[in-house]
Amino acid sequence: MSDSVLNQFTQTVAEEVKSSGRRFKVGIIGTGWIAESHIETYKQMEDVDVVAMADLIPGKAEAFAARYGIEGCRFYPSHKEMLAAEELDAVSVCTYNMTHAECTIDSLNAGVNVLLEKPMCVTTEEAVAICRAEKASGKVLSIGFQPRFDANMQMIRKIVQSGALGEVYYIQTGGGRRRGIPNSTFIEKKTGGIGALGDIGCYSLDVVLNAIDYPKPLTVSGYTSGFFGCNPEYNNPADAARFNVDDFAAGFVRLEGGIILDFRIAWAMHLDTPGDTIILGKKAGLRIPSTDCWNGSFYQPLTIYSDIGGRQVETKIPLIDTRNQKGLFWQKIRSFLDTIDTGKPAPVPTSQILYNQAIIDGICKSAELGHEIEIDIPEI
């Protein structure tokens, strides 16, 4: 590939959004593991006051605030009580998957902007209800996909959007760990709802779907299993006894525009990786090195495969050095707050992640039925 083409894929400097001088009063719903990243990030921002926290477990929010040195914070046993008592600018929804929809819809209905942790929710029906509440409220709702802010992840979209690959017709994506089953609320349907599909599968779907402008999913043939999670040989006995979600999932999805999406994800398997992510176009192909969960960046160069002058050529896209940039979580939260300030569209909009959720839900429903299904997404 010529230097002129390669030079298209150089690092760009993100536009800095200047603060208006306002202070944001923020609440946190759910003070579990992921909330730690939220509170650590909010503490770095001089224009943010975390004024309220809600958690169903008595004393958990108070202990959480004390651990992070948050003073003057008010505590509530439910998000509904917090929303009724406080005048908040924004909330971070950091609860387990099965309550994402309820907490988000209630917050929007209360006139509060929402940063919702991934996955968006569990079912397509919940995702539609969230989008309708967002539309009715006029508030900002952004979904917590921090890899969107990584410069190397952004390069994937930049390459595809440049036209270097030509018309895209096939995508293979996924990832996973040979062993990496979490515990806590992740592994039960009553709290997590879905397993590896929601925890890390949503990330790998977003990587490629964002690159191709999120075409609508049409049909899916899905498969799920949980052979490792419920087996005490591969999981600790206490967790194995309550494990009832997927630890492996796969799907064959037809997208608008004639694009095929071949997907697989795993918390555990007898393999180090299910393969690299590839995007095939009619002019060139792109190989993206596999990772175990896609929740940050990748650490090997991208490769473009093309023909030039009758010769088969491979072009390595050098990794961008991001060591001097703000962390991805900081960028995720800052972009959400700046959107509230500026009135710009949400950095990770629900109009896209609705399709992400519909694919995940479609895989589950197809797997249960044992055949391919159409993906039905109602109008918002």
Side-chain angles (χ1 to χ4, degrees), residues 142-370:
S142 189
I143 312 300
F145 282 68
Q146 67 269 9
R148 287 273 191 108
F149 302 94
D150 175 71
N152 288 296
M153 288 289 190
Q154 290 171 353
M155 185 62 67
I156 298 169
R157 174 174 167 82
K158 190 172 184 180
I159 290 169
V160 174
Q161 293 294 313
S162 75
L165 305 186
E167 182 182 350
V168 172
Y169 60 90
Y170 175 85
I171 296 173
Q172 172 184 296
T173 194
R177 311 156 181 161
R178 185 167 182 171
R179 296 291 184 274
I181 301 172
N183 51 29
S184 186
T185 61
F186 286 91
I187 61 174
E188 293 183 87
K189 285 186 177 178
K190 67 181 182 181
T191 49
I194 44 181
L197 257 175
D199 179 37
I200 56 179
C202 64
Y203 280 140
S204 62
L205 287 171
D206 189 62
V207 168
V208 293
L209 293 173
N210 182 48
I212 59 173
D213 287 331
Y214 261 96
K216 185 177 182 180
L218 303 177
T219 66
V220 59
S221 182
Y223 170 84
T224 61
S225 60
F227 301 131
F228 290 81
C230 61
N231 187 338
E233 184 176 344
Y234 303 110
N235 202 359
N236 75 70
D239 286 343
R242 64 191 182 93
F243 188 98
N244 62 356
V245 295
D246 59 278
D247 60 32
F248 178 86
F252 192 80
V253 187
R254 296 184 183 276
L255 306 171
E256 275 188 345
I259 302 172
I260 297 299
L261 175 63
D262 186 355
F263 163 80
R264 70 294 302 266
I265 200 76
W267 273 341
M269 56 186 169
H270 288 306
L271 206 63
D272 57 345
T273 172
D276 289 344
T277 288
I278 59 174
I279 302 177
L280 296 181
K282 294 181 180 179
K283 290 170 56 179
L286 175 66
R287 181 182 297 277
I288 304 157
S290 65
T291 78
D292 62 356
C293 60
W294 294 106
N295 69 347
S297 188
F298 49 88
Y299 304 100
Q300 298 179 53
L302 301 168
T303 305
I304 299 175
Y305 297 78
S306 61
D307 287 9
I308 297 179
R311 300 189 64 182
Q312 296 177 2
V313 176
E314 298 178 15
T315 303
K316 297 290 185 182
I317 307 300
L319 289 173
I320 297 168
D321 187 348
T322 60
R323 287 175 295 180
N324 294 326
Q325 297 180 8
K326 290 283 191 179
L328 299 184
F329 233 92
W330 189 95
Q331 293 183 63
K332 175 172 78 172
I333 291 181
R334 188 71 255 171
S335 67
F336 164 65
L337 295 175
D338 290 341
T339 296
I340 298 171
D341 226 5
T342 62
K344 293 182 179 179
V348 184
T350 57
S351 59
Q352 294 179 347
I353 309 307
L354 171 61
Y355 288 176
N356 187 302
Q357 195 69 50
I359 291 172
I360 290 172
D361 189 32
I363 289 172
C364 293
K365 290 174 177 174
S366 171
E368 185 175 352
L369 293 170

Side-chain angles (χ1 to χ4, degrees), residues 14 26 67 89 93 113 186 226 351:
V26 173
R67 187 161 78 249
D89 296 303
V93 174
N113 302 290
F186 286 91
S351 59

